[in-house]
């Protein structure tokens, strides 16, 4: 079964707000986590990743937080824009292999 | 950045025919590529791992005789859906990791929408 799951299937925010998308994982052996953005009819697009020896990593307008104690991963998007509207997936990599396990996904809807 | 392409982007076929989908890494070599399928409003489900120079590794429940995978070169993997049926209609996506370690970034293709009539 899936070892990565998401708490919120849909998240609606206003333009300019900060968005937080959450993800829970169950396998403590997971050592690499990635967030992907998927727009309708397209393949997933890499957003940001984090390794298990870190608890925070920042990118451009995005921040990923990793809490290994509770096996929780989050993606924070600052100043959310309509172009951020998409489905966001977290994925985990176990044991250093390239095989990824994807979570269920959260749809982010940004209203202007 | 690394780019992965897929062809065709969409295909409509009659039930019983076979369809071939190509996945190419455009600016890097990939000894391993992955094939996923995705149903509407669902997550990506790994179907198989394509290995250059050896047989593909299929996930549990995926019929290897139904979904033929050939990793012809370091930049090309093909997925052939044999004797397609309407239940095979789905969004098929490939990916390739750039680099040699398991935690290298995986780049995804744009996907292929298969519709079987």
């Amino acid at each position: 079964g899936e070892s990565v799951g998401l708490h919120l299937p849909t998240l609606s925010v206003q333009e300019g707000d900060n968005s937080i998308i959450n993800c829970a994982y169950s396998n403590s052996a997971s050592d690499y986590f990635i967030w992907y953005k998927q727009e309708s009819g397209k393949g997933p697009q890499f957003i940001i990743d984090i390794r298990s020896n870190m608890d925070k990593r920042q990118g451009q307008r995005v921040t990923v937080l990793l809490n290994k104690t509770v096996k929780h991963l989050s993606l924070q998007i600052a100043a959310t824009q309509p172009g951020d509207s998409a489905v966001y997936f977290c994925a985990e990599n176990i044991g250093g292999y390239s095989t990824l396990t994807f979570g269920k996904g959260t749809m982010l809807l940004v209203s202007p | 950045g690394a780019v992965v392409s897929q062809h065709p982007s969409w295909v409509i076929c009659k039930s019983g025919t076979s369809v071939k989908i190509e996945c190419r890494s455009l600016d890097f070599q990939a000894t391993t590529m992955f094939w996923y399928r995705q149903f509407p409003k669902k997550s990506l489900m790994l179907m198989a791992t394509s290995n250059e120079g050896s047989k593909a590794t299929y996930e549990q429940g995926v019929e290897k005789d139904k979904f033929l995978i050939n990793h012809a070169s370091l930049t090309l993997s093909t997925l052939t859906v044999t004797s397609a049926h309407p239940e095979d209609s789905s969004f098929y996506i490939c990916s390739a990791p750039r680099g040699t370690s398991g935690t290298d970034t995986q780049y995804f293709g744009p996907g292929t929408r298969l519709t079987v009539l």
Side-chain angles (χ1 to χ4, degrees), chain A residues 32 36 38 43 51 93 96 98 103, chain B residues 38 43 46 102-103 106 108-110:
Chain A
Y32 179 54
Y36 287 94
Q38 187 179 28
R51 287 176 166 74
N93 175 292
S98 292
Chain B
Q38 184 179 32
S43 187
L46 180 65
T103 56
Q106 280 205 38
F108 284 81

Side-chain angles (χ1 to χ4, degrees), chain B residues 74-105:
Chain B
L74 288 172
T75 59
L76 173 64
S77 174
T78 60
L79 169 68
T80 300
V81 183
T82 63
S83 186
H85 291 283
E87 58 265 30
D88 298 323
S89 298
S90 188
F91 194 51
Y92 292 87
I93 309 171
C94 69
S95 73
R98 184 175 189 173
T100 56
S101 73
T103 56
D104 293 306
T105 302

